PDB file of all heavy atoms in Angstrom:
ATOM      1  N   GLN A  10      99.041 -22.879-142.770  1.00  0.00           N
ATOM      2  CA  GLN A  10      99.764 -24.061-142.354  1.00  0.00           C
ATOM      3  C   GLN A  10      99.379 -25.271-143.194  1.00  0.00           C
ATOM      4  O   GLN A  10     100.235 -26.060-143.521  1.00  0.00           O
ATOM      5  CB  GLN A  10      99.506 -24.325-140.851  1.00  0.00           C
ATOM      6  CG  GLN A  10     100.154 -23.322-139.967  1.00  0.00           C
ATOM      7  CD  GLN A  10      99.728 -23.547-138.458  1.00  0.00           C
ATOM      8  OE1 GLN A  10      98.853 -24.356-138.181  1.00  0.00           O
ATOM      9  NE2 GLN A  10     100.376 -22.823-137.584  1.00  0.00           N
ATOM     10  N   MET A  11      98.108 -25.374-143.501  1.00  0.00           N
ATOM     11  CA  MET A  11      97.639 -26.463-144.346  1.00  0.00           C
ATOM     12  C   MET A  11      98.268 -26.385-145.727  1.00  0.00           C
ATOM     13  O   MET A  11      98.774 -27.436-146.244  1.00  0.00           O
ATOM     14  CB  MET A  11      96.123 -26.447-144.492  1.00  0.00           C
ATOM     15  CG  MET A  11      95.587 -27.523-145.407  1.00  0.00           C
ATOM     16  SD  MET A  11      93.965 -27.118-146.102  1.00  0.00           S
ATOM     17  CE  MET A  11      94.357 -25.762-147.173  1.00  0.00           C
ATOM     18  N   VAL A  12      98.363 -25.248-146.295  1.00  0.00           N
ATOM     19  CA  VAL A  12      98.972 -25.080-147.613  1.00  0.00           C
ATOM     20  C   VAL A  12     100.424 -25.447-147.567  1.00  0.00           C
ATOM     21  O   VAL A  12     100.884 -26.200-148.450  1.00  0.00           O
ATOM     22  CB  VAL A  12      98.813 -23.583-148.130  1.00  0.00           C
ATOM     23  CG1 VAL A  12      99.672 -23.322-149.317  1.00  0.00           C
ATOM     24  CG2 VAL A  12      97.340 -23.309-148.429  1.00  0.00           C
ATOM     25  N   LYS A  13     101.129 -25.063-146.556  1.00  0.00           N
ATOM     26  CA  LYS A  13     102.553 -25.417-146.430  1.00  0.00           C
ATOM     27  C   LYS A  13     102.723 -26.942-146.310  1.00  0.00           C
ATOM     28  O   LYS A  13     103.574 -27.507-146.888  1.00  0.00           O
ATOM     29  CB  LYS A  13     103.168 -24.729-145.190  1.00  0.00           C
ATOM     30  CG  LYS A  13     103.400 -23.291-145.379  1.00  0.00           C
ATOM     31  CD  LYS A  13     104.029 -22.677-144.097  1.00  0.00           C
ATOM     32  CE  LYS A  13     104.147 -21.169-144.258  1.00  0.00           C
ATOM     33  NZ  LYS A  13     104.678 -20.560-142.961  1.00  0.00           N
ATOM     34  N   LEU A  14     101.813 -27.574-145.508  1.00  0.00           N
ATOM     35  CA  LEU A  14     101.892 -28.968-145.327  1.00  0.00           C
ATOM     36  C   LEU A  14     101.613 -29.712-146.664  1.00  0.00           C
ATOM     37  O   LEU A  14     102.269 -30.691-147.015  1.00  0.00           O
ATOM     38  CB  LEU A  14     100.849 -29.454-144.270  1.00  0.00           C
ATOM     39  CG  LEU A  14     100.778 -30.960-144.013  1.00  0.00           C
ATOM     40  CD1 LEU A  14     102.087 -31.409-143.355  1.00  0.00           C
ATOM     41  CD2 LEU A  14      99.620 -31.235-143.070  1.00  0.00           C
ATOM     42  N   PHE A  15     100.592 -29.254-147.367  1.00  0.00           N
ATOM     43  CA  PHE A  15     100.259 -29.840-148.677  1.00  0.00           C
ATOM     44  C   PHE A  15     101.424 -29.722-149.619  1.00  0.00           C
ATOM     45  O   PHE A  15     101.757 -30.601-150.374  1.00  0.00           O
ATOM     46  CB  PHE A  15      98.989 -29.233-149.282  1.00  0.00           C
ATOM     47  CG  PHE A  15      97.717 -29.687-148.596  1.00  0.00           C
ATOM     48  CD1 PHE A  15      96.514 -29.076-148.946  1.00  0.00           C
ATOM     49  CD2 PHE A  15      97.717 -30.640-147.677  1.00  0.00           C
ATOM     50  CE1 PHE A  15      95.308 -29.488-148.354  1.00  0.00           C
ATOM     51  CE2 PHE A  15      96.514 -31.082-147.043  1.00  0.00           C
ATOM     52  CZ  PHE A  15      95.338 -30.453-147.418  1.00  0.00           C
ATOM     53  N   GLU A  16     102.023 -28.515-149.673  1.00  0.00           N
ATOM     54  CA  GLU A  16     103.123 -28.293-150.627  1.00  0.00           C
ATOM     55  C   GLU A  16     104.328 -29.187-150.213  1.00  0.00           C
ATOM     56  O   GLU A  16     104.999 -29.765-151.078  1.00  0.00           O
ATOM     57  CB  GLU A  16     103.521 -26.862-150.600  1.00  0.00           C
ATOM     58  CG  GLU A  16     102.531 -25.930-151.291  1.00  0.00           C
ATOM     59  CD  GLU A  16     102.861 -24.473-151.181  1.00  0.00           C
ATOM     60  OE1 GLU A  16     103.553 -24.029-150.227  1.00  0.00           O
ATOM     61  OE2 GLU A  16     102.337 -23.719-152.044  1.00  0.00           O
ATOM     62  N   TYR A  17     104.544 -29.314-148.910  1.00  0.00           N
ATOM     63  CA  TYR A  17     105.660 -30.149-148.460  1.00  0.00           C
ATOM     64  C   TYR A  17     105.454 -31.584-148.861  1.00  0.00           C
ATOM     65  O   TYR A  17     106.433 -32.282-149.215  1.00  0.00           O
ATOM     66  CB  TYR A  17     105.765 -30.014-146.952  1.00  0.00           C
ATOM     67  CG  TYR A  17     106.887 -30.851-146.361  1.00  0.00           C
ATOM     68  CD1 TYR A  17     108.211 -30.413-146.431  1.00  0.00           C
ATOM     69  CD2 TYR A  17     106.621 -32.069-145.722  1.00  0.00           C
ATOM     70  CE1 TYR A  17     109.257 -31.186-145.903  1.00  0.00           C
ATOM     71  CE2 TYR A  17     107.648 -32.866-145.191  1.00  0.00           C
ATOM     72  CZ  TYR A  17     108.946 -32.419-145.299  1.00  0.00           C
ATOM     73  OH  TYR A  17     110.005 -33.184-144.816  1.00  0.00           O
ATOM     74  N   ASN A  18     104.210 -32.035-148.851  1.00  0.00           N
ATOM     75  CA  ASN A  18     103.856 -33.410-149.230  1.00  0.00           C
ATOM     76  C   ASN A  18     103.563 -33.570-150.733  1.00  0.00           C
ATOM     77  O   ASN A  18     103.038 -34.580-151.116  1.00  0.00           O
ATOM     78  CB  ASN A  18     102.744 -33.921-148.356  1.00  0.00           C
ATOM     79  CG  ASN A  18     103.114 -34.197-146.961  1.00  0.00           C
ATOM     80  OD1 ASN A  18     103.868 -35.175-146.750  1.00  0.00           O
ATOM     81  ND2 ASN A  18     102.726 -33.375-146.030  1.00  0.00           N
ATOM     82  N   ARG A  19     103.861 -32.528-151.484  1.00  0.00           N
ATOM     83  CA  ARG A  19     103.730 -32.523-152.930  1.00  0.00           C
ATOM     84  C   ARG A  19     102.328 -32.806-153.423  1.00  0.00           C
ATOM     85  O   ARG A  19     102.134 -33.478-154.405  1.00  0.00           O
ATOM     86  CB  ARG A  19     104.753 -33.479-153.543  1.00  0.00           C
ATOM     87  CG  ARG A  19     106.155 -33.141-153.282  1.00  0.00           C
ATOM     88  CD  ARG A  19     107.092 -34.054-154.010  1.00  0.00           C
ATOM     89  NE  ARG A  19     108.463 -33.703-153.732  1.00  0.00           N
ATOM     90  CZ  ARG A  19     109.242 -34.390-152.925  1.00  0.00           C
ATOM     91  NH1 ARG A  19     108.834 -35.480-152.343  1.00  0.00           N
ATOM     92  NH2 ARG A  19     110.487 -33.989-152.733  1.00  0.00           N
TER      93      ARG A  19
END
Side-chain angles (χ1 to χ4, degrees):
Q10 290 174 352
M11 177 203 68
V12 167
K13 287 179 186 177
L14 180 66
F15 286 173
E16 289 174 338
Y17 180 77
N18 286 289
R19 296 185 181 107

